[in-house]
């Protein structure tokens, strides 16, 4: 999603690209009104149709904006009749993972997905001053399993914009940080056509993805065609998860173990498809009853986020962990009572 121009290379002969899935999206002609997001309950203000204030809009969790004609992600997670034990890897707390998209200079960005290189450098410097180290989500999950993740922060970049290699990587390298880039497997070297009103930005090419992986940066899957997964038929879910992984593994020449849900939209069927496709973890956005290894919540970071806003977002993440766990206990207790009913 970079406005800069670069050489676009075609896929190597050994890599087949599946046909892009049917695109889709939501209305974007009311930018100042809150839009329902997958798994995020509406506030009273949103239900009443009252426009959000500037502060409320900035603090709201951001998702990748759908493109015209795409299947609209559900506003709420569907209720499931499966027992809680079927939820993949439910956990009491979640690691702190920052969610970026584009690091570039844009005059206008209605979706607020672009962070300037100067602001990004300030944010990374703030983490460093606090004794934190930014790492890929893969490294974070491994350290967490070993009990060594206390001072680590996951850094993730959705969509695979070319400016990740041009602007973000040099800044991260200066501090010894790493990160994960989630790329759309069948759109490498193309542009963010799913963004109806956002600036046209170039995506990483096949060669750039290959070079990043060889240099040690984690490459994860962002599905095919940037399509939301909830509600898709089982065979399409299989293509989105397994085929995208196979395609990327041919490009990077090694295992691809991380998945990121387009638009942050996730339901139970999607988490099970990701798990069955052999991924080690998956990133969502919002906390939900599915929060765990295959629906990791993340913290949106924008160009307006300075030190005090990042501190506040860290606190809010911990609070949401607590609330999610309380709700999980209530659901478990309710399920236990239902099982005891003759």
């Amino acid at each position: 999603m970079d406005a800069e121009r670069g050489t676009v290379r075609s896929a190597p002969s050994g890599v087949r690209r599946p046909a892009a899935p049917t695109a889709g999206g939501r209305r974007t002609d009311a930018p100042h009104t809150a839009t329902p997001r997958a798994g995020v309950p509406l506030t009273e203000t949103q239900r009443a149709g009252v426009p959000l204030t500037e502060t409320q809009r900035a603090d709201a969790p951001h998702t990748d904006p759908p493109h015209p004609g795409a299947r609209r992600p559900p506003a709420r997670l569907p209720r499931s009749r499966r027992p809680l034990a079927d939820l993949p890897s439910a956990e009491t707390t979640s690691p702190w993972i920052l969610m970026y998209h584009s690091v570039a200079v844009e005059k206008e960005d209605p979706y607020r997905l672009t962070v300037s290189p100067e602001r990004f450098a300030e944010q990374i410097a703030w983490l460093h001053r606090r004794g934190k180290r930014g790492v890929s989500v893969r490294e974070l999950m491994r350290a967490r399993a070993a009990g060594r993740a206390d001072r680590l922060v996951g850094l993730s970049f959705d969509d695979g914009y070319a400016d990740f290699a041009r602007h973000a990587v040099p800044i991260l390298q200066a501090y010894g940080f790493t990160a994960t880039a989630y790329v759309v497997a069948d759109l490498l070297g193309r542009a963010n056509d799913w963004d109806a009103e956002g600036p046209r930005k170039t995506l990483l090419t096949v060669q750039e993805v290959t070079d990043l992986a060889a240099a040690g940066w984690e490459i994860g899957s962002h599905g095919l065609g940037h399509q939301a997964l909830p509600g898709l038929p089982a065979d399409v879910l299989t293509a989105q998860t397994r085929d995208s992984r196979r395609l990327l593994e041919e490009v990077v020449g090694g295992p691809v173990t991380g998945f990121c849900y387009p638009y942050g939209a996730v339901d139970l069927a999607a988490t099970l498809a990701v798990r069955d496709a052999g991924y080690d973890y998956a990133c969502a956005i919002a906390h939900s009853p599915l929060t765990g290894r295959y629906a990791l919540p993340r913290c949106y970071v924008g160009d307006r986020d300075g030190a005090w806003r990042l501190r506040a977002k860290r606190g809010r993440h911990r609070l949401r962990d607590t609330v999610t766990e309380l709700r999980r206990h209530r659901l478990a207790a309710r399920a236990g009572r239902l099982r005891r009913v003759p």
Side-chain angles (χ1 to χ4, degrees):
M1 221 185 193
D2 184 16
E4 298 181 30
R5 296 290 182 263
T7 302
V8 178
R9 302 172 186 267
S10 59
S13 58
V15 179
R16 287 194 308 108
R17 288 181 177 172
T22 303
R26 63 172 182 259
R27 290 179 59 87
T28 56
D29 53 350
H32 298 299
T33 303
T35 304
R37 295 181 172 86
V40 181
L42 297 178
T43 65
E44 294 297 330
T45 301
Q46 289 171 313
R47 283 194 291 269
V50 178
L52 296 180
T53 65
E54 190 67 23
T55 300
Q56 289 172 324
R57 288 199 302 274
D59 286 341
H62 286 58
T63 60
D64 302 332
H67 47 102
R71 185 186 301 272
R72 177 180 297 177
R76 295 175 182 268
L77 288 170
R79 294 179 181 271
S80 173
R81 295 183 181 276
R82 293 174 180 259
L84 290 179
D86 284 359
L87 297 178
S89 303
E91 298 174 5
T92 57
T93 60
S94 56
W96 196 32
I97 305 174
L98 303 184
M99 179 183 69
Y100 287 95
H101 288 77
S102 172
V103 178
V105 176
E106 296 289 354
K107 292 183 179 179
E108 294 185 8
D109 182 6
Y111 300 123
R112 300 194 297 278
L113 300 181
T114 305
V115 176
S116 72
E118 294 76 17
R119 173 62 87 177
F120 181 68
E122 292 173 3
Q123 293 165 347
I124 297 304
W126 177 80
L127 289 174
H128 184 263
R129 288 196 304 271
R130 290 179 59 85
K132 303 293 185 181
R133 184 166 69 90
V135 297
S136 68
V137 181
R138 175 180 60 196
E139 181 177 348
L140 178 65
M141 296 303 289
R142 290 174 178 172
R144 181 176 169 83
R148 299 194 302 268
D150 288 347
R151 307 199 70 80
L152 301 183
V153 178
L155 301 179
S156 63
F157 293 77
D158 290 15
D159 302 338
Y161 300 121
D163 56 51
F164 171 73
R166 295 171 188 165
H167 299 311
V169 166
I171 295 171
L172 294 172
Q173 286 178 323
Y175 288 91
F177 288 8
T178 61
T180 302
Y182 296 106
V183 303
V184 184
D186 58 339
L187 298 182
L188 300 181
R190 295 171 62 178
N192 58 326
D193 295 331
W194 61 83
D195 283 339
E197 297 180 359
R200 294 304 89 194
K201 291 177 178 279
T202 304
L203 303 179
L204 290 165
T205 66
V206 169
Q207 188 61 52
E208 287 172 327
V209 170
T210 301
D211 292 344
L212 285 168
W217 300 88
E218 183 189 10
I219 301 297
S221 173
H222 207 32
L224 300 174
H226 205 277
Q227 185 176 13
L229 301 192
L232 293 180
D235 59 332
V236 180
L237 278 177
T238 297
Q240 285 284 336
T241 54
R242 298 193 181 194
D243 290 359
S244 65
R245 183 185 184 198
R246 174 188 55 78
L247 187 62
L248 286 178
E249 287 182 338
E250 293 181 18
V251 173
V252 305
V256 172
T257 58
F259 188 88
C260 177
Y261 300 100
Y263 310 116
V266 57
D267 61 6
L268 180 58
T271 64
L272 296 176
V274 168
R275 181 195 65 183
D276 294 344
Y279 292 94
D280 183 57
Y281 73 86
C283 285
I285 297 178
H287 284 75
S288 77
L290 296 173
T291 289
R293 175 170 289 273
Y294 292 100
L296 294 169
R298 293 179 296 162
C299 173
Y300 157 81
V301 181
D303 196 59
R304 299 179 59 189
D305 291 327
W308 73 269
R309 289 176 64 89
L310 289 173
R311 283 195 296 267
K313 288 186 174 186
R314 175 57 174 147
R316 184 173 62 186
H317 179 86
R318 290 172 172 169
L319 176 61
R320 286 173 174 169
D321 266 347
T322 301
V323 172
T324 299
E325 180 60 14
L326 289 174
R327 289 174 176 170
R328 199 192 306 276
H329 280 306
R330 285 201 298 268
L331 288 173
R334 184 182 305 168
R337 290 195 297 270
L338 290 175
R339 284 194 292 267
R340 291 194 295 270
V341 173

